[in-house]
Amino acid sequence: MTAENAAPVTGDSPNALAAVEAEIARACKEARTDRASVTLIAVSKTFDADAITPVIDAGQRVFGENRVQEAKGKWPALTSVTSGIALHLIGPLQSNKAKEAVALFDAIHSVDRPSICQALAKEIESQNRHPELFVQINIGEEPQKAGIAPDEADAFIASCRETYGLTIAGLMCIPPVDEPPAAHFALTAKIAERNGLKKLSMGMSADFATAIMLGATHVRVGSAIFGHR
Ligand SMILES: *Cc1c(COP(=O)(O)O)cnc(C)c1O
């Protein structure tokens, strides 16, 4: 049994985390990539502090949340007792939440429109905090999904840099659920490369090993660690 698709028993998150870690190590070896070049983001959305604490105690320090309000409600208490925790916002961001997002998160994976760029630029300057920014690409060009269309990515990244003065670290994508992800990961990597971006946030519970093979530097893994939501 591999870590992928193996839903952990609730309450067994430390073992599930270890299984995910082992699978990441295996994928890194196969990809001839240094393990240190891949960051595991444990996606704790919908789970409360009691569910998250065992994963922190098992040594995990990087966590992902998809809602600013939810993260604000549960993380300050957790980060006050354990140092070195990094929080990544992986869900959609509204301009009116940019202030709270810049204050709380160490990385934002959902930069996907000019109004967000503008709001982030303002908050980054006034708070003098610099979360790592990822542009979200709607890699499958799905109408219901957030993100910049692949053929608009170069122009958008240029405007993030030139119009808003933002430092973009990399790209994030969520491939269509009903398609093999490899081609989508490969295209995301290609867009990043031609724009001089080194970081790639791609791969979730079902496909993180494939993403690592195709260059992921950040994998966002929720249910394989915490169980079903
Ligand atoms: C929920 C979520 C994940 C984690 O998904 P799992 O399939 O539970 O690993 C990753 N990325 C984003 C953007 C998410 O919203």
Side-chain angles (χ1 to χ4, degrees):
M1 190 172 71
T2 67
E4 289 187 307
N5 303 318
V9 178
T10 304
D12 198 23
S13 53
N15 277 327
L17 175 67
V20 168
E21 271 295 345
E23 183 67 3
I24 290 173
R26 189 203 59 71
C28 286
K29 203 168 173 190
E30 196 179 333
R32 296 173 196 276
T33 297
D34 193 355
R35 169 66 188 88
S37 70
V38 178
T39 298
L40 168 61
I41 303 169
V43 177
S44 49
K45 65 186 185 195
T46 78
F47 290 94
D48 64 12
D50 286 348
I52 296 169
T53 299
V55 177
I56 296 174
D57 291 346
Q60 178 65 24
R61 290 294 179 270
V62 184
F63 291 85
E65 290 285 341
N66 68 335
R67 289 169 197 268
V68 176
Q69 282 321 108
E70 181 186 338
K72 215 184 149 191
K74 67 190 182 189
W75 277 101
L78 291 163
T79 52
S80 71
V81 291
T82 306
S83 61
I85 288 177
L87 296 179
H88 290 230
L89 179 64
I90 60 169
L93 178 60
Q94 309 299 323
S95 300
N96 63 6
K97 296 274 164 57
K99 184 174 185 171
E100 291 166 299
V102 168
L104 184 63
F105 290 98
D106 301 285
I108 296 172
H109 294 236
S110 47
V111 178
D112 69 350
R113 56 192 189 280
S115 59
I116 289 298
C117 293
Q118 188 167 21
L120 288 173
K122 177 172 167 258
E123 290 304 327
I124 286 166
E125 182 172 357
S126 69
Q127 298 183 36
N128 195 23
R129 268 185 57 87
H130 295 81
E132 200 163 53
L133 303 179
F134 293 77
V135 168
Q136 182 171 350
I137 305 296
N138 185 357
I139 200 68
E141 302 190 62
E142 298 171 277
Q144 82 284 10
K145 236 177 224 167
I148 299 289
D151 62 0
E152 289 163 16
D154 296 0
F156 181 75
I157 294 161
S159 96
C160 288
R161 290 166 164 163
E162 290 152 24
T163 310
Y164 300 102
L166 296 173
T167 300
I168 301 298
L171 302 181
M172 180 272 231
C173 75
I174 309 170
V177 285
D178 54 352
E179 289 176 28
H184 295 291
F185 292 151
L187 180 57
T188 305
K190 202 168 147 188
I191 297 169
E193 170 148 45
R194 72 170 179 246
N195 284 283
L197 297 171
K198 298 227 173 342
K199 304 205 170 163
L200 286 168
S201 168
M202 53 190 204
M204 313 190 349
S205 290
D207 54 21
F208 65 84
T210 304
I212 290 169
M213 295 301 299
L214 291 160
T217 62
H218 292 68
V219 292
R220 310 178 309 266
V221 180
S223 49
I225 296 172
F226 289 99
H228 289 297
R229 289 182 293 270

